[in-house]
Amino acid sequence: MCPKTSKTTPLLLIGGIGFVIVLVVITGITLINNINLSNIIRLNEKVASDSVSANDNQIKELNYVNNHPKNIFIKLPLSTNNNGSQSHQSSTPATALDANEENENVGDTRTLDQIRQEMSSVRQQQEHHHHHQQDEEEPKLSSVIWQGKPKSLQLKLPQQVQSNQTYTTTMLISPPLPLGPYTGGLIDYTKREKVVQMMKHAWHNYKLYAWGKNELRPLSQRPHSGSIFGSYDLGATIVDGLDTLYIMGLEREYKEGRDWIERKFSLDNISAELSVFETNIRFVGGMLTLYAFTGDPLYKEKAQHIADKLLPAFQTPTGIPYALVNTKTGMAKNYGWASGGSSILSEFGTLHLEFAYLSDITGNPLYRERVQTIRQVLKEIEKPKGLYPNFLNPKTGKWGQLHMSLGALGDSYYEYLLKAWLQSGQTDEEAREMYDEAMLAIMDKMVRTSPNGLTYVSDLKFDRLEHKMDHLACFSGGLFALGAATRQNEHTDKYMEVGKGITNTCHESYIRAPTQLGPEAFRFSDAAEARALRSQEKYYILRPETFESYFVLWRLTHDQKYRDWGWEAVLALEKHCRTPHGYCGLRNVYLQEPQKDDVQQSFFLAETLKYLYLLFSDDSVLPLDEWVFNTEAHPLPIKGANIYYRQAPVTLPAAAGGAAASNAS
Ligand code: DMJ
């Protein structure tokens, strides 16, 4: 009867359902967008409000560009001192050069402003280029290398140093590091800029999703809390990553971080259980470097504030500190798992650089005394076969299990022996002797060569070699080389070869994995070389140690292969670890498409990207004869060689006269 109606009814019905579905989808998308958008707006507002400076003038006075270590080229008349080494002398720091002054030592007569303009136009061009390129294509392997000249920038002494009459004007550069042919102007701009873009990606996503928290979870786009920082929001990524931003010249980001520290960072009124070691290397170390770079008193105050919170951990019968301390109660303890209540060598042995420097910039000798006590215990204790076991009981002063390692639990103790000597301007002979003795024993008992010629440093358990090397131990390639480069003796050549060999082995551990990223630990057996064999050893958590050795070896040899290896790593990180919201580690480097771990470690910003950036920089950026890197890659100035040392007069206790006495040297 109504054939027309009966035909159109289903059509109308389908049309209606379709319309409703479209409506629901559109509403859904709008809602999701609104949620994301409002989150982003809220986060941006939070960041912006945190970034409003409490004191704008102070920010302006930071004089970011002039104090930037990258913009410094020491230009003082050369003279030869009694021991034949070269020193730079000047009657007063304020006589440092006029930017327009003629200088026969430096072949570049551009003024500071000219160079700044050139740098900024290069940066603008590159940013423009990257803006179009970013996220669209892999960086190209071929890149432009600019063979520039050393920068003849005016030596601008920082405000504080200028007004500090105790600053000595003799900058001893003795003995010079035996570097290869001078390549001071050689910067690989394109590759270095790629690393800067990586840093921006890591930082901006942390800012967006985890600002003020400790780390970022890039996959879930939320903060990563817990882990080694306890459950409080200490802005670990900000404090750890800030000097990298500064070195890279990322001024806006740097200021955001500085403002957050000023406004938010405090350990007062919180009851956090902190790792003495981690807090020292990341937080104290980070603040100290920022103080050296900028002279901003904020950082000195914060460094001291944090170190003071750690001091109760040192109240033990031996002076060897406990691993953990509560910031409110001062209660301290060791990890339950550590060999009968022991403290850990790599933890209590990795405080020296920061505490010694803190004493020098505050004038308070207490911090140096604390680490000197640790040094004396370790110097006097009997060492089995000349080696240091990883565990020491802070109550009895006796060793725990006889496990030795240049990887986990041991590593940075050895690093700090060499570096304490370097930091002291090579005057802390005790440290160098202890380093030399330790490395001699390690060479004899732990360094081995695989059947196919790979050099590695094995863990030792009691008398048994484990033929396993941690990724953590990959820093020792650079350590052996740096030790060899700074002291000539009958072992020098051998140690340099071992340093190169270990670095090569760590590179092998990377390129033997399909991801081109190295596992957490790798073994040497009949079955395999430089490969992880156990499933729990196959992960990669954005660690820096291999790149650290590439950087040190590059500086010492200028062998292009170290830059090539670093670039391979950049490509691998981009391919496997980069996500739209930051960088993650991998659960298994031996899979073609490994699962990501959803953590952007703070050391990725502090160390991994910093070492890669420096690898593609010229030697004038943080030269190794002026700066020494703490184990978290925070550069600290070398006494007597670096105008940024910023030594304060010693404050004597009231009984001894009370007045300030100068000990600047
Ligand atoms: C960093 O915190 C430091 O390099 C430390 O010495 C060892 N572990 C991590 C990086 O892997």
Side-chain angles (χ1 to χ4, degrees):
M1 290 204 310
C2 298
K4 208 173 170 190
T5 317
S6 65
K7 261 190 199 165
T8 51
T9 306
L11 278 177
L12 275 175
L13 210 64
I14 291 168
I17 292 171
F19 179 71
V20 170
I21 291 173
V22 169
L23 214 70
V24 167
V25 169
I26 289 174
T27 317
I29 289 173
T30 315
L31 265 176
I32 288 167
N33 275 344
N34 280 345
I35 290 165
N36 280 344
L37 215 65
S38 61
N39 265 347
I40 290 167
I41 290 167
R42 237 183 312 126
L43 273 160
N44 276 339
E45 276 170 359
K46 186 171 169 336
V47 170
S49 89
D50 285 356
S51 295
V52 175
S53 165
N55 179 352
D56 269 351
N57 287 336
Q58 193 166 16
I59 291 291
K60 281 182 200 124
E61 281 162 18
L62 278 177
N63 195 7
Y64 175 80
V65 177
N66 286 343
N67 289 345
H68 197 296
K70 204 164 72 168
N71 287 344
I72 283 160
F73 188 80
I74 297 175
K75 206 174 65 156
L76 298 170
L78 274 179
S79 70
T80 306
N81 61 22
N82 291 344
N83 61 19
S85 60
Q86 286 182 333
S87 69
H88 288 285
Q89 300 208 333
S90 139
S91 55
T92 150
T95 60
L97 305 169
D98 186 279
N100 297 317
E101 191 187 335
E102 277 287 312
N103 175 14
E104 71 261 18
N105 292 331
V106 182
D108 188 336
T109 54
R110 291 174 296 173
T111 64
L112 179 68
D113 277 344
Q114 282 169 332
I115 288 171
R116 258 194 230 143
Q117 272 168 18
E118 283 170 32
M119 294 296 285
S120 114
S121 88
V122 168
R123 168 62 57 86
Q124 271 170 18
Q125 280 170 23
Q126 286 175 339
E127 290 210 330
H128 178 74
H129 178 65
H130 278 282
H131 185 70
H132 291 294
Q133 256 195 343
Q134 222 189 338
D135 294 327
E136 285 168 22
E137 58 180 83
E138 289 277 309
K140 295 208 170 33
L141 265 168
S142 64
S143 63
V144 189
I145 296 183
W146 285 19
Q147 184 83 53
K149 293 175 185 168
K151 302 175 205 63
S152 78
L153 295 178
Q154 182 181 15
L155 176 61
K156 285 258 185 186
L157 288 169
Q159 214 72 44
Q160 288 224 326
V161 175
Q162 277 174 349
S163 61
N164 182 350
Q165 294 309 308
T166 61
Y167 181 76
T168 177
T169 57
T170 303
M171 276 162 279
L172 194 64
I173 305 179
S174 162
L177 284 175
L179 299 175
Y182 180 63
T183 56
L186 192 76
I187 303 172
D188 192 329
Y189 277 101
T190 310
K191 290 178 180 147
R192 189 169 79 162
E193 188 57 28
K194 177 69 199 169
V195 181
V196 174
Q197 295 304 323
M198 294 168 76
M199 182 71 185
K200 281 177 146 185
H201 185 64
W203 177 263
H204 287 153
N205 280 288
Y206 164 76
K207 192 173 110 183
L208 202 53
Y209 300 111
W211 187 245
K213 309 287 177 183
N214 289 320
E215 290 172 323
L216 166 69
R217 285 192 178 279
L219 297 182
S220 33
Q221 294 142 55
R222 61 188 169 90
H224 175 231
S225 34
S227 81
I228 53 167
F229 307 110
S231 48
Y232 284 87
D233 299 339
L234 302 178
T237 297
I238 300 176
V239 181
D240 224 6
L242 207 53
D243 62 347
T244 305
L245 293 172
Y246 191 91
I247 292 163
M248 291 179 174
L250 296 173
E251 190 169 0
R252 186 164 50 86
E253 290 82 353
Y254 163 75
K255 282 178 178 168
E256 287 162 3
R258 190 245 173 235
D259 294 344
W260 184 87
I261 290 174
E262 183 179 42
R263 294 162 61 82
K264 303 278 180 177
F265 184 85
S266 172
L267 296 178
D268 284 334
N269 306 318
I270 61 168
S271 177
E273 196 167 74
L274 295 181
S275 153
V276 174
F277 162 75
E278 297 290 358
T279 308
N280 175 60
I281 65 169
R282 302 188 197 215
F283 289 82
V284 180
M287 299 290 186
L288 290 174
T289 293
L290 291 162
Y291 178 65
F293 281 178
T294 64
D296 184 342
L298 168 77
Y299 298 123
K300 179 163 70 171
E301 282 157 25
K302 295 292 182 195
Q304 191 165 18
H305 164 72
I306 305 162
D308 286 347
K309 295 285 182 189
L310 303 181
L311 287 177
F314 292 72
Q315 303 294 330
T316 65
T318 56
I320 298 288
Y322 288 116
L324 298 165
V325 64
N326 184 294
T327 48
K328 190 164 196 149
T329 63
M331 297 273 282
K333 63 178 185 191
N334 274 337
Y335 295 109
W337 52 263
S339 187
S342 288
S343 301
I344 295 162
L345 181 68
S346 67
E347 298 205 333
F348 64 78
T350 309
L351 303 166
H352 203 103
L353 298 186
E354 297 81 4
F355 275 53
Y357 186 48
L358 186 58
S359 272
D360 282 356
I361 60 170
T362 57
N364 184 347
L366 179 89
Y367 309 103
R368 187 189 291 277
E369 283 163 18
R370 291 291 177 270
V371 288
Q372 208 43 56
T373 301
I374 300 174
R375 165 89 63 81
Q376 286 321 304
V377 171
L378 290 169
K379 190 178 173 205
E380 280 156 28
I381 191 172
E382 198 185 320
K383 290 165 264 296
K385 297 182 183 149
L387 294 166
Y388 291 85
N390 293 338
F391 301 104
L392 185 67
N393 190 306
K395 291 186 182 147
T396 62
K398 296 208 180 332
W399 296 118
Q401 282 170 350
L402 299 185
H403 293 182
M404 283 61 120
S405 179
L406 231 65
L409 311 180
D411 51 8
S412 41
Y413 167 61
Y414 306 96
E415 179 183 357
Y416 271 36
L417 287 178
L418 178 67
K419 290 184 174 178
W421 173 73
L422 290 172
Q423 181 193 34
S424 71
Q426 307 188 1
T427 60
D428 183 358
E429 252 328 297
E430 181 180 72
R432 178 78 209 206
E433 274 168 29
M434 288 171 76
Y435 171 79
D436 286 341
E437 283 167 17
M439 295 320 261
L440 204 58
I442 285 172
M443 278 289 293
D444 185 33
K445 308 274 178 335
M446 292 162 67
V447 173
R448 292 291 177 268
T449 306
S450 74
N452 289 310
L454 295 181
T455 305
Y456 61 99
V457 52
S458 174
D459 282 6
L460 186 65
K461 292 194 169 164
F462 298 95
D463 273 342
R464 200 177 56 81
L465 278 171
E466 226 197 332
H467 301 287
K468 176 208 97 173
M469 198 171 149
D470 289 338
H471 189 291
L472 288 166
C474 284
F475 85 100
S476 65
L479 185 74
F480 270 105
L482 192 60
T486 48
R487 174 153 289 176
Q488 192 67 43
N489 60 26
E490 74 269 32
H491 304 298
T492 303
D493 294 345
K494 176 74 189 147
Y495 284 13
M496 184 55 93
E497 281 317 301
V498 168
K500 290 178 185 171
I502 288 174
T503 307
N504 176 62
T505 301
C506 291
H507 175 245
E508 287 295 320
S509 80
Y510 274 56
I511 59 172
R512 290 173 190 214
T515 52
Q516 305 282 288
L517 291 165
E520 178 67 3
F522 43 91
R523 293 177 184 265
F524 298 85
S525 71
D526 294 340
E529 289 192 358
R531 272 185 69 93
L533 295 178
R534 303 179 184 175
S535 58
Q536 69 271 26
E537 295 171 344
K538 294 183 176 169
Y539 62 88
Y540 172 70
I541 54 167
L542 303 172
R543 285 200 191 279
E545 292 77 14
T546 300
F547 316 142
E548 174 180 348
S549 286
Y550 295 168
F551 160 66
V552 174
L553 265 298
W554 161 256
R555 281 285 171 98
L556 297 178
T557 66
H558 290 135
D559 185 334
Q560 177 61 30
K561 77 179 176 200
Y562 296 113
R563 277 188 162 178
D564 295 344
W565 293 354
W567 186 242
E568 283 170 8
V570 166
L571 296 180
L573 288 166
E574 286 297 276
K575 182 166 179 195
H576 295 288
C577 301
R578 188 182 179 114
T579 76
H581 305 288
Y583 291 85
C584 296
L586 307 177
R587 296 201 190 280
N588 184 346
V589 295
Y590 296 105
L591 299 178
Q592 296 285 352
E593 302 275 327
Q595 217 190 338
K596 297 183 173 65
D597 71 0
D598 203 13
V599 180
Q600 180 174 279
Q601 305 279 346
S602 80
F603 56 65
F604 182 65
L605 292 89
E607 298 191 72
T608 309
L609 293 178
K610 188 185 287 142
Y611 283 127
L612 288 169
Y613 177 86
L614 292 173
L615 181 64
F616 300 119
S617 294
D618 63 311
D619 297 352
S620 72
V621 185
L622 301 171
L624 293 185
D625 51 6
E626 291 178 26
W627 298 93
V628 62
F629 290 81
N630 93 337
T631 196
E632 189 76 2
H634 297 304
L636 299 173
I638 290 178
K639 199 169 186 171
N642 190 322
I643 59 155
Y644 292 102
Y645 200 81
R646 303 179 194 280
Q647 176 136 6
V650 170
T651 313
L652 294 174
S662 164
N663 77 337
S665 57

